[in-house]
């Protein structure tokens, strides 16, 4: 009886293992799903208040002072990492200016969101109408939620507007219409999840809207102890420099009491028609891996802000997105009911094409809003045949031939996709996955350590979306930055006024090893999930699967002493840092290599 029970447990775990391996084919951990339906603009003012009724920050710090004069902060980039940074700096009583490169449809003469009547609003629509290459779906796991739970309204809205991974269904749809569509499987069935928290699929623009709504609520309450936030749209940073206290003291226009170090940020607005300059105590670079902030810091100290690159089989893969109706009916074999695509499901569509340059797959990630179009991503090598087609009708015919199960006939014949969408899809250049890379440093502070610049998110680390950790690692960066600033003294605490630079250095010591570990993991964990074609890649993918299975077997026969594969550790739900996962994975690999070396040495000695 005991043996039977153990056998059943092993079989349940094996089912989960096979599901993870299947995800390599079904893009389970891919995060490139585009939500093309624009969200209505949210009116947001530049003054902030807490989302709760009290004046205690939800991030755990108590308010510092009721002084109307607050320290200044600049955040470059209005993505999730930038907006999160602005929120925590506001909680620390900084007045925050966010510089966002995206140009709004209309704004005042200086590019800010303030109007002539003193009513402050923000044209947020451009923040949600991202270029299709930048519109992703995020899988927010426990790492990202360690930040979001600090803001109850944000966390609640994420849960309401997303699809939880624990209930997500996975369906692999054969290209041949004569083959039946298999029964969907629950992604977490028999899984190894150990934490109570779920993970949530949510479109990027929906997450941005939730952050902006938090800003709106803060503005309505206008708590004195919170800093104000404004967003300057269409603002391209051209210079970042640290002015030390001595240089600032030489400025006769500065009062004696204000002669301290500061960071000066210069940006162009209206495509260079106007130049704005901002002085701040702290500047956060959250402007992506092609970060202007990091580039400007390289001009100050190039040796510190170089980029370490790693190779990855997923780097350079190209992707584009086809928009389909939300609830498409997919024909099944004759005599069976068609499959109606559900929002809580992940779908992987196989084509009937053969050959490295013609085989293709479509992937649909979960989507909550039934009013939105369903986005289907196609990921291929750069030399794939699909990139040679630029005419809409030619593309439609090619896709119809590749996916005969789908209703891709002309719209006049009942096709589910319009001619306009086929033309857009054919002409779209799409995007490409970056090579994994990490900045050598994450901060630079003044000599007297009273001010500085810190990098978060993709400005520090970038990689293909193999592990779905882009937004999670960015929110972790912001959370640790907040904790180190609190630990070393807030901006208004005069007794610890010289510790901001120490806080930034501590932030770098805490997060840079994590960033390096994450980038290294992304270079080899899950890079073949996109079903790269070609003999070399398919062979390596099969070897990767065998490697995973071998490590799982070793984990079982050693009763957990030998670590699980890194991919399984990521999605186990266990609270492990990136460094812990990497170290355990490396230890397992080194153990295998050592055992093989000992075995080979013994064989060699016997031959002698």
């Amino acid at each position: 009886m005991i043996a039977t029970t153990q056998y059943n447990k092993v079989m349940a775990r094996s089912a989960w293992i096979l599901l993870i391996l299947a995800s390599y084919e079904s893009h389970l951990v891919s995060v490139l799903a585009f939500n093309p339906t624009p969200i209505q603009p949210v009116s947001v003012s530049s003054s902030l208040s807490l989302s709760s009724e009290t004046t205690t920050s939800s991030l755990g710090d108590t308010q510092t002072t009721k002084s109307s004069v607050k320290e200044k902060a600049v955040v470059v980039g209005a993505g999730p990492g930038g907006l999160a940074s602005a929120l925590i700096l506001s909680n620390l009583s900084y007045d925050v200016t966010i510089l966002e490169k995206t140009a709004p449809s209309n704004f005042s003469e200086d590019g800010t969101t303030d109007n002539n009547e003193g009513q402050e609003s923000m044209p947020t629509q451009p923040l949600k109408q991202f270029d299709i290459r930048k519109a992703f779906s995020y899988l927010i796991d426990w790492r990202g939620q360690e930040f979001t739970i600090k803001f109850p309204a944000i966390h609640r809205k994420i849960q309401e507007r997303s699809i939880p991974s624990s209930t997500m269904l996975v369906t692999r749809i054969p290209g041949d219409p004569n083959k039946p569509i298999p029964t969907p499987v629950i992604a977490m069935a028999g899984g190894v999840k150990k934490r109570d928290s779920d993970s949530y699929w949510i479109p990027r623009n929906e997450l941005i809207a939730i952050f902006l709504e938090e800003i709106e609520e803060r503005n309505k309450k206008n708590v004195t102890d919170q800093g104000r936030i404004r967003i300057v749209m269409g603002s391209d940073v051209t210079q970042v420099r640290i002015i030390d206290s001595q240089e600032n003291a030489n400025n006769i226009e500065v009062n004696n009491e204000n002669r301290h170090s500061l960071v000066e940020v210069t940006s162009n607005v209206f495509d260079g028609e106007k130049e704005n300059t901002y002085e701040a105590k702290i500047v956060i670079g959250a402007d992506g891996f092609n970060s202007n902030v990091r580039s400007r810091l390289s001009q100050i100290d190039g040796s510190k802000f170089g980029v370490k690159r790693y190779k990855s089989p997923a780097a350079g893969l190209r992707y584009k997105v086809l928009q389909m109706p939300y609830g498409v009916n997919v024909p099944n074999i004759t005599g069976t009911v068609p499959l109606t695509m559900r929002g809580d499901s992940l779908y992987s569509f196989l084509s009937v094409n053969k050959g490295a340059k013609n085989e293709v797959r479509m992937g649909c990630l979960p989507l909550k809003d039934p009013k939105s179009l369903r986005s289907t991503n196609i990921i291929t090598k750069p030399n794939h045949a699909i990139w040679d087609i630029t005419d809409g009708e030619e593309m439609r015919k090619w896709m119809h031939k590749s996916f005969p199960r789908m209703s891709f006939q002309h719209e006049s014949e009942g096709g589910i996709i319009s001619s306009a969408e086929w033309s857009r899809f054919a002409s779209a250049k799409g995007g490409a996955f970056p090579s994994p890379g990490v900045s050598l440093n994450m901060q630079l502070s003044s000599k007297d350590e009273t001010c500085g610049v810190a990098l978060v998110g993709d400005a520090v680390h970038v990689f293909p979306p193999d592990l779905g950790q882009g937004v999670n690692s960015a929110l972790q960066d912001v959370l640790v930055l907040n904790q180190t600033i609190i630990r070393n003294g807030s901006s208004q605490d005069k007794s610890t006024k010289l510790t901001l630079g120490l806080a930034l250095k501590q932030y770098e010591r805490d997060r840079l090893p994590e960033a390096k570990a994450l980038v290294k993991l992304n270079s080899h964990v899950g890079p073949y999930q996109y079903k790269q074609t070609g003999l070399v890649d398919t062979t390596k993918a099969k070897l990767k699967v065998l490697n995973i299975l071998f490590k799982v077997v070793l984990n079982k026969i050693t009763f957990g002493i030998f670590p699980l594969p890194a991919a399984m550790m990521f999605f186990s739900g266990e609270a492990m840092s990136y460094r812990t996962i990497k170290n355990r994975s490396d230890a397992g690999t080194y153990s295998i290599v050592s055992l093989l070396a000992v075995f080979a040495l013994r064989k060699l000695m016997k031959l002698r």
Side-chain angles (χ1 to χ4, degrees), residues 148-414:
T148 63
I149 60 177
K150 306 299 183 181
F151 295 86
I154 289 178
H155 192 69
R156 173 178 52 80
K157 290 177 181 179
I158 288 174
Q159 292 177 315
E160 293 172 350
R161 303 182 194 180
S162 64
I163 298 294
S165 61
S166 61
T167 61
M168 183 183 73
L169 301 175
V170 180
T171 305
R172 187 171 180 265
I173 302 177
D176 187 349
N178 296 315
K179 293 182 178 180
I181 299 175
T183 303
V185 296
I186 300 176
M188 294 302 296
V192 292
K193 185 176 177 222
K194 299 178 181 178
R195 293 175 67 89
D196 293 332
S197 61
D198 211 334
S199 298
Y200 300 97
W201 288 101
I202 187 168
R204 184 183 192 272
N205 56 351
E206 192 71 58
L207 184 62
I208 293 292
I210 290 173
F211 276 112
L212 294 175
E213 289 165 13
E214 174 72 8
I215 294 175
E216 182 184 34
E217 289 302 314
R218 286 166 167 251
N219 169 62
K220 290 178 181 178
K221 295 176 182 178
N222 196 24
V223 174
T224 304
D225 290 333
Q226 294 296 309
R228 296 158 60 89
I229 293 181
R230 67 170 185 167
I231 298 183
V232 184
M233 303 291 290
S235 187
D236 188 15
V237 171
T238 58
Q239 185 177 21
V240 176
R241 69 189 189 107
I242 296 178
I243 304 176
D244 63 35
S245 55
Q246 183 59 43
E247 180 180 352
N248 201 21
N250 294 333
N251 184 355
I252 60 174
E253 298 180 0
V254 177
N255 294 329
N256 288 337
E257 62 181 4
N258 292 325
R259 290 176 180 173
H260 53 71
S261 298
L262 55 85
V263 185
E264 184 180 82
V265 180
T266 304
S267 67
N268 286 332
V269 187
F270 297 106
D271 293 328
E273 294 181 12
K274 183 177 179 61
E275 186 176 84
N276 289 339
T277 300
Y278 307 89
E279 294 180 350
K281 189 85 169 177
I282 181 172
V283 173
I284 305 297
D287 51 339
F289 199 68
N290 294 320
S291 169
N292 281 346
V293 175
R294 194 185 68 250
S295 297
R296 301 305 174 257
L297 292 180
S298 295
Q299 296 175 0
I300 300 174
D301 191 343
S303 62
K304 288 190 64 176
F305 293 93
V307 175
K308 172 66 175 178
R309 295 278 188 176
Y310 296 88
K311 294 182 179 180
S312 168
L317 293 178
R318 295 182 65 181
Y319 60 89
K320 63 165 60 181
V321 174
L322 178 67
Q323 302 173 21
M324 295 197 300
Y326 183 85
V328 171
N329 288 325
V330 182
N332 209 334
I333 59 175
T334 305
T336 58
V337 178
L339 169 72
T340 300
M341 293 178 61
R342 302 168 39 151
D344 62 352
S345 297
L346 180 151
Y347 298 96
S348 178
F349 296 87
L350 284 66
S351 72
V352 296
N353 297 352
K354 303 297 181 183
K357 293 186 178 181
N358 289 284
E359 185 179 350
V360 67
R361 297 193 177 201
M362 300 190 300
C364 288
L365 291 179
L367 180 64
K368 183 69 174 284
D369 185 5
K371 298 179 181 179
S372 298
L373 292 174
R374 194 67 180 266
S375 298
T376 306
N377 52 54
I378 290 178
I379 304 171
T380 73
K381 286 188 173 182
N383 62 347
H384 195 276
I386 199 170
W387 301 105
D388 298 328
I389 305 173
T390 57
D391 177 75
E393 180 60 17
E394 183 182 354
M395 177 64 78
R396 184 196 67 77
K397 292 179 179 178
W398 190 88
M399 290 288 288
H400 195 196
K401 182 179 179 181
S402 303
F403 301 94
R405 187 188 292 272
M406 303 299 294
S407 299
F408 284 167
Q409 61 267 34
H410 195 275
E411 61 179 331
S412 62
E413 301 173 354

Side-chain angles (χ1 to χ4, degrees), residues 24 101 126 215 526:
Y24 276 70
K101 193 172 183 179
I215 294 175

Side-chain angles (χ1 to χ4, degrees), residues 475-499:
L475 295 179
Q476 282 276 309
D477 290 342
V478 177
L479 184 64
V480 173
L481 177 63
N482 173 77
Q483 293 168 344
T484 54
I485 292 177
I486 293 172
R487 190 184 311 142
N488 288 274
S490 68
S491 64
Q492 299 295 326
D493 188 345
K494 293 184 179 180
S495 65
T496 57
K497 201 172 183 63
L498 299 180
T499 61

Side-chain angles (χ1 to χ4, degrees), residues 505-579:
K505 291 176 181 178
Q506 184 61 49
Y507 161 69
E508 182 178 69
R509 285 192 292 270
D510 290 343
R511 287 302 294 170
L512 190 55
E514 284 288 286
K516 291 178 178 179
L518 177 58
V519 168
K520 289 179 181 179
L521 285 167
N522 267 274
S523 67
H524 66 271
V525 178
Y528 292 107
Q529 62 184 277
Y530 311 103
K531 292 298 293 183
Q532 294 94 316
T533 54
L535 180 60
V536 174
D537 281 328
T538 54
T539 301
K540 288 182 177 180
K542 291 176 181 178
L543 292 174
K544 187 72 174 178
V545 171
L546 291 175
N547 178 269
I548 291 175
L549 290 174
F550 180 60
K551 289 182 177 180
V552 169
V553 171
L554 287 177
N555 175 265
K556 294 300 179 184
I557 64 178
T558 60
F559 300 98
I561 296 176
F562 188 89
L564 285 168
M568 296 185 69
M569 284 190 278
F570 256 106
F571 301 104
S572 69
E574 186 177 348
M576 287 187 285
S577 67
Y578 300 131
R579 276 180 291 179

Side-chain angles (χ1 to χ4, degrees), residues 44-52 54-67 69-75 81-98 147 151 154 211 214-231 282 284 478 481-482 485-486 490-492:
V44 180
S45 81
S46 59
S47 60
L48 291 181
S49 69
L50 284 171
S51 59
S52 60
T54 67
T55 58
T56 300
S57 166
S58 57
L59 278 168
D61 54 294
T62 56
Q63 303 307 312
T64 56
T65 179
K66 292 186 178 295
S67 170
V69 179
K70 295 181 173 64
E71 299 283 10
K72 306 298 182 183
V74 171
V75 175
L83 295 177
S85 299
L87 288 171
I88 64 107
L89 290 172
S90 168
N91 279 350
L92 294 169
S93 292
Y94 284 91
D95 280 339
V96 185
T97 298
I98 301 177
F147 175 86
F151 295 86
I154 289 178
F211 276 112
E214 174 72 8
I215 294 175
E216 182 184 34
E217 289 302 314
R218 286 166 167 251
N219 169 62
K220 290 178 181 178
K221 295 176 182 178
N222 196 24
V223 174
T224 304
D225 290 333
Q226 294 296 309
R228 296 158 60 89
I229 293 181
R230 67 170 185 167
I231 298 183
I282 181 172
I284 305 297
V478 177
L481 177 63
N482 173 77
I485 292 177
I486 293 172
S490 68
S491 64
Q492 299 295 326

